[in-house]
């Protein structure tokens, strides 16, 4: 053994440190070097007796969990390399795991990773970066913790492979409690057990680094319960037997479990175990369990197990691997929709329970320090000397064999396989990935040495070993091994202090290609990509990193593809000149993959981020698509308001989509809206976006509809809604009216005079409140326009109004009643069905019947918006397009809602202030004052000539009818040419109808 | 040959996009939009002095699995993007170049129309026909 170096006291920071670096890919708190170092750490197995496990269980922790927060060394360590050079190891981390004799199931890993990602959602206060690129200001989350946790879990859950040794166990801790009747016997049992697991052919898993694994004997002593003297004496015996360097007495549980008063002790486990509780559904009985994959073995073991437990309490509950699924069928059904919701909810529960129960309740701060010291002691005195020795041995073997075997091997090979160029291009060797060495093959020894060097941070030596190994493997055409060596050669070249050589990215590329295309091992390829992308990014080679990430997206894993695409998108935005559009596009691709993987929230987040780039830039097709997806995702996540606004966007933007697509949009919108309204049936009526209303084209008509001309009788008016407005004639009429009023009032026009306007439109003077008469209808013509290529059906269409009753004679104000306060005051006409064809402008005439005097305000229209059935068929487009979009049956679904009528008045242009600013006058078209009953005159011409000769005299009849109950007096007839007319009266029929001929 | 042709305003909003089929329209829109990043990159890569006397044709912007995207930028920074089927290997670079020049000429014709408001979407039958013929040409 060599000099194991200095020891620095303390280092609670070790645990806290990890918490601080919730590192991230785009902006990583953890440096790349640290990330890679932590991805490959020496693995130590732990095998506990049942009694020992019981002691740690008091703290609600397994043994491996107990030591987990203390597994990073805070002090530097020295060791000597084979050339006797001093080598410094900094910041070393080890991993202590329970033995699991079952390789993790791919389905289980997939589920685990899916859960890890779905649990990690952006928090409210997540830091967002504002990135300005060109005319874009983008809010982008600065960190992607879900990717971080995915990557961590991915690397941890990687199954050990035969072509590399990095995640093979270097050592094994045997843990026994001092409270047991025969601790020494127990140690022997455990030792045999370990030997059996490693060397019997029953277990292909876990994998061990070298045949003689370091065994480290740990005596666990419960301070609060056990006898100290006994523990000490057992420890003495152990020291005799295993040497001082091979065993340890660890005292824990100094605090009685019942004392809960001083809860000040920090809980370093929480940050690890939250993750753990997600990873392992039964994390707390995750003891020394070995898992058996095959039934026979199970039988065999449990037989002698029973005895064991009875006799000496050797614990060997062979539990299921945490990554093993209970029902494998679950995985095959993937994670779509409902399934996903179940898993997350159960996850949340398990998270709650785990955070509810405190860990380490029986441990004092001294105990924490003891555990920390134990790990240090183990690493300094046990693990590192063992590794150092092993490296030395391997090195010696290699040197001794080099002379002989290398030359022999290559000579024979050359002899048999003809002249071969040693450095063959990978592509030519495609068929040879099958070559596998036996575990102890001499060819693998150099790889073993390289891996050991790598684990203890001796990257120079590791690099040269990997490099040699790579050549050997390539010569043997052992492609899997060659790829592994290439991968690690690249990584160790990068990690070499002082960077003597540039990062060989092409090594990585070859490794990835080999893993993926020749070995068909996507997991290994993914690891390569994650490592390489991180390294490239640290060197600001963002486009290379992005290309790498994108290349690994494939059909076999949606989750992986989604995460990698998202990271690629982040690469694009982090480039020196940010590629905003590429970012957005890859975000959309990521969102698509997320949604396929059942990660709805992540999908929504991706689409929303991409939306920032597309919004309002004229790319309507893309914008519609994103809005539609956002609407869908929000709907499934029950974010109905978001869903509604997203769908609304699609419909109100002048959509260039084909009719079928628009029909789908509309139906989805209606469906979502229906859900919203069902949730809150008493809420105010929603504002509907469709159809458009051309507010300024609204016309208002006061009075009854004119009776149409029947036979020779012809209504003597041009004013009706069917008439176009004629500026000139209406001006003439106005003048005439003014003249007659002046005559009646002895030449003066009263100041409150207002020319009669039966029909108000955008040309008429709408600055004053118009007068309407009680019991006479008010007709409002609303101009609807359907912007879509599918017809819209409005049902139960009527006006929305507000009325304040006022008696204009008696001067008392009636209380103001608002909005549809009964038909006794205002009657409203309802149009049962109003169909607007695609891209059609259509007028709807709606009537109100005021029954009381007062002030009426017409606010808007209220209607059910719906589609007509079978739209798709009408357009001659395959109906299946529409059907696949949603699982709902659209039976002319409709939603009740409203739209306001808001008419902007004319622009004011009189005063200087009005001229310099933009001001609009009021428009009171829709705010008539309902006055008391008035006479209402209707006039008809009978036999009115349409053409006259000059000087011809014809007789025509004019019929005056007062249709109101109010008497009409002082009728005057005005004409611009009074000299043309001669009147004589013929009083006729009733007292309200008079005829006049002239 | 070309499956989608787009004219993009200086401010990067589309003045005109036409694709040969409607089924992949959305995809083409995304492709064209994303290619603008590459156009920007290519332009900014050239020095200020070079911008004035540069070649308007930018060449292949990037290849995707099924398509190749070509770019062309006028002096007024109006971009033409053409998406071509990558299975069509017969298509040579200089053919693409001449297609762009034809496209530029018809664009100029559109601009010469006194009733056309620069910056508006292009609604011109002559332009439509021109582009349709370009997309049909070799098919």
């Amino acid at each position: 053994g060599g000099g194991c170096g200095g020891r620095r006291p303390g280092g609670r920071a070790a645990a806290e440190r990890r918490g601080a670096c919730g590192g991230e890919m785009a902006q990583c708190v953890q440096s790349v070097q640290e990330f890679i170092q932590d991805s490959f750490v020496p693995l130590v197995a732990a095998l506990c007796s049942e009694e020992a496990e019981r002691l740690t269980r008091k703290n609600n922790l397994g043994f491996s969990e107990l030591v987990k927060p203390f597994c990073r060394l805070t002090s530097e360590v020295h060791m000597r390399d084979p050339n006797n050079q001093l080598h410094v190891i900094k910041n070393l981390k080890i991993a202590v795991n329970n033995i699991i004799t079952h390789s993790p199931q791919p389905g289980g890993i997939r589920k685990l990773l899916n859960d890890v990602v779905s649990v990690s959602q952006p928090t409210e206060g997540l830091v967002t970066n504002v990135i300005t690129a060109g005319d874009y200001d983008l809010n982008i989350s600065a960190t992607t913790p879900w990717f971080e946790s995915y990557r961590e879990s991915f690397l941890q859950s990687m199954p050990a492979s035969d072509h590399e040794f990095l995640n093979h166990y270097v050592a094994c801790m045997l843990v026994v409690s001092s409270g047991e009747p025969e601790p020494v016997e127990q140690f022997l049992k455990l030792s045999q057990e370990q030997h059996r697991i490693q060397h019997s052919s029953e277990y292909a898993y876990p994998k061990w680094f070298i045949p003689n694994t370091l065994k480290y004997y740990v005596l666990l002593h419960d301070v609060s319960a056990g006898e100290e003297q006994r523990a000490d004496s057992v420890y003495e015996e152990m020291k005799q037997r295993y040497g001082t360097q091979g065993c340890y007495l660890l005292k824990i549980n100094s605090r009685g479990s019942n004392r809960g008063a001083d809860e000040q002790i920090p809980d370093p486990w929480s940050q690890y175990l939250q993750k753990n509780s997600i990873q392992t559904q039964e994390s707390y009985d995750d003891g020394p369990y070995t898992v058996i994959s095959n039934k026979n073995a199970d039988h065999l073991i449990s037989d002698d197990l029973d005895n064991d437990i009875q006799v000496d309490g050797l614990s060997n509950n062979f539990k299921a691997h945490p990554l093993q699924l209970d029902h494998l069928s679950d995985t095959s059904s993937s994670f779509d929709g409902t399934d996903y919701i179940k898993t997350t909810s159960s996850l949340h529960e398990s998270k709650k329970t785990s955070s509810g129960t405190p860990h380490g309740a029986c441990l004092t701060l001294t105990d924490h320090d003891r555990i920390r010291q134990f790990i240090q002691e183990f690493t300094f005195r046990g693990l590192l000397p063992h590794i150092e020795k092993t490296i030395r041995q391997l090195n010696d073997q290699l040197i001794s064999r080099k002379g002989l075997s290398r030359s022999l091997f290559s000579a024979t090979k050359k002899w048999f396989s003809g002249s071969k160029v040693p450095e063959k291009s990978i592509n030519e060797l495609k068929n040879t990935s099958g070559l596998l060495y036996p575990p102890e093959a001499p060819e693998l020894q150099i790889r073993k040495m390289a891996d050991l060097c790598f684990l203890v941070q001796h990257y120079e030596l590791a690099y040269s070993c990997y490099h040699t190994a790579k050549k050997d493997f390539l010569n043997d055409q052992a492609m899997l091994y060659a790829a592994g060596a290439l991968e690690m050669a690249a990584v160790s070249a990068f990690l070499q202090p002082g960077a003597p050589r540039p990062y060989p990215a092409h090594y990585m590329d070859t490794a990835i290609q080999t893993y993926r295309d020749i070995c068909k091992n996507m997991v290994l390829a993914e690891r390569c990509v994650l490592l390489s992308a991180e390294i490239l990014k640290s060197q600001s080679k963002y486009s290379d990193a992005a290309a790498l990430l994108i290349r690994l997206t494939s059909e076999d894993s949606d989750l992986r593809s989604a995460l990698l695409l998202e990271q690629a998108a982040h690469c694009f935005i982090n480039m020196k000149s940010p590629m905003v559009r590429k970012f957005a596009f890859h975000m959309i691709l990521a969102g698509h993959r997320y949604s396929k993987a059942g990660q709805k929230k992540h999908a929504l987040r991706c689409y929303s981020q991409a939306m920032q780039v597309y919004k309002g830039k004229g790319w309507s097709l893309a914008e519609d698509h994103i809005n539609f997806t956002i609407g869908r995702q929000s709907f499934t996540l029950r974010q109905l308001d978001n869903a509604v606004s997203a769908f609304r966007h699609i419909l109100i933007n002048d959509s260039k989509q084909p009719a079928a697509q628009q029909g789908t949009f509309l139906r989805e919108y209606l469906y979502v809206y229906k859900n919203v309204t069902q949730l809150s049936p008493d809420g105010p009526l929603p504002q509907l976006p469709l159809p458009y209303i051309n507010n300024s084209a609204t016309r208002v008509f006061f009075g009854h509809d004119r009776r149409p001309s029947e036979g020779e009788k012809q209504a003597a008016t041009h004013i009706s809604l069917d008439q176009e407005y004629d500026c000139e004639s209406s001006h003439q009429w106005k003048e005439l009216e003014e003249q007659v009023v002046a005559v009646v009032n002895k030449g003066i026009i009263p100041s409150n005079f207002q020319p009669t306007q039966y029909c108000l439109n955008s040309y008429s003077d709408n600055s004053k409140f118009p007068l309407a008469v009680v019991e006479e209808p008010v007709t409002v013509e609303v101009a609807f326009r359907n912007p879509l290529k599918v017809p819209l059906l409005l049902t139960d269409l009527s006006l929305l109004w507000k009325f304040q009753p006022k008696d204009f004679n008696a001067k008392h104000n009636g209380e103001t009643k608002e909005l549809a306060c009964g038909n006794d005051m205002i009657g409203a006409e309802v149009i049962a069905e109003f169909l607007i064809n695609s891209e059609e402008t259509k007028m709807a005439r709606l009537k109100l019947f005021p029954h009381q005097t007062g002030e009426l305000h017409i606010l808007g229209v209220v209607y059910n918006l719906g589609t007509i059935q079978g739209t798709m068929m009408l357009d001659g487009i395959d109906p299946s397009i529409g059907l696949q979009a949603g699982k709902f049956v659209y039976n002319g679904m409709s939603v009740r809602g409203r739209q306001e009528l808001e008419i902007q008045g004319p622009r004011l242009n009189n005063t200087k202030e009005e001229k310099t600013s933009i001001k609009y006058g009021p428009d009171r078209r829709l705010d008539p004052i309902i006055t008391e009953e008035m006479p209402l005159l209707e006039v008809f011409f009978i036999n009115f000539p349409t053409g006259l000769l000059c000087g011809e005299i014809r007789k025509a009849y004019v019929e005056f009818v007062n249709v109101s109950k109010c008497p009409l007096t002082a009728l005057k007839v005005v004409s611009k040419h009074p000299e043309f007319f001669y009147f004589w009266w013929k009083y006729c029929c009733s007292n309200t109808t008079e005829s006049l001929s002239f | 040959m070309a499956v989608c042709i787009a004219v993009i305003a200086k401010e990067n909003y589309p003045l005109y996009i036409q694709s040969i089929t409607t089924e992949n329209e959305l995809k083409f829109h995304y492709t064209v939009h994303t290619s603008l990043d590459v156009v920007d990159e290519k332009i900014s890569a050239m020095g200020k002095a070079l911008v004035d006397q540069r070649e308007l044709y930018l060449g292949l912007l990037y290849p995707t699995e099924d398509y190749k995207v070509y770019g062309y930028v006028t002096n007024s920074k109006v971009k033409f993007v053409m998406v071509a089927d990558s299975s069509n290997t017969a298509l040579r670079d200089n053919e693409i170049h001449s297609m762009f020049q034809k496209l530029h000429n018809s664009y100029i014709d559109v601009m010469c129309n006194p009733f056309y408001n620069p910056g508006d979407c292009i609604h011109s039958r002559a332009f439509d026909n021109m582009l349709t013929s370009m997309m049909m040409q070799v098919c």
Side-chain angles (χ1 to χ4, degrees), chain A residues 135-136 575 577-586 588 613-614 617-623 625-626 658, chain B residues 6 8 11-14 17 22 25-38 40-41 44 62 121:
Chain A
D135 5 327
Y136 298 96
M575 287 167 78
S577 53
M579 292 193 149
V580 186
R581 299 174 198 93
K582 282 202 167 187
F583 160 78
F585 184 58
H586 287 94
I588 287 170
V613 174
Y614 287 96
K617 301 278 182 196
W619 296 87
S620 61
L621 219 55
E623 199 177 336
H625 168 242
I626 301 170
Chain B
I8 316 289
E11 294 82 10
N12 288 332
Y13 62 87
I17 293 195
T22 48
E25 220 177 345
L26 178 65
K27 188 176 169 185
F28 288 136
H29 281 224
Y30 275 127
T31 311
V32 170
H33 183 259
T34 309
S35 71
L36 294 178
D37 268 336
V38 188
D40 278 0
E41 192 188 28
S44 61
Y62 65 91
C121 291

Side-chain angles (χ1 to χ4, degrees), chain A residues 17-18 21 23-25 28-41 72 91 93 147-156 454 459 491 494-495 508 526-538:
Chain A
R17 205 174 155 278
R18 239 189 127 276
C21 56
E24 199 272 332
M25 193 144 185
C28 203
V29 186
Q30 198 185 17
S31 77
V32 193
Q33 283 81 2
E34 283 176 307
F35 155 67
I36 297 173
Q37 264 174 35
D38 288 356
S39 304
F40 302 102
V41 295
R72 187 187 290 278
N91 210 11
K93 189 185 157 192
F147 175 73
E148 289 294 299
S149 26
Y150 168 85
R151 191 173 59 182
E152 196 183 327
S153 306
F154 168 80
L155 290 171
Q156 279 176 6
F454 189 88
Y459 300 117
V491 172
F494 170 73
L495 287 176
M508 270 301 192
E526 185 179 356
R527 183 180 68 185
C528 271
V529 166
L530 291 176
L531 294 172
S532 192
E534 198 56 48
I535 293 171
L536 288 171
K537 268 193 284 182
S538 76

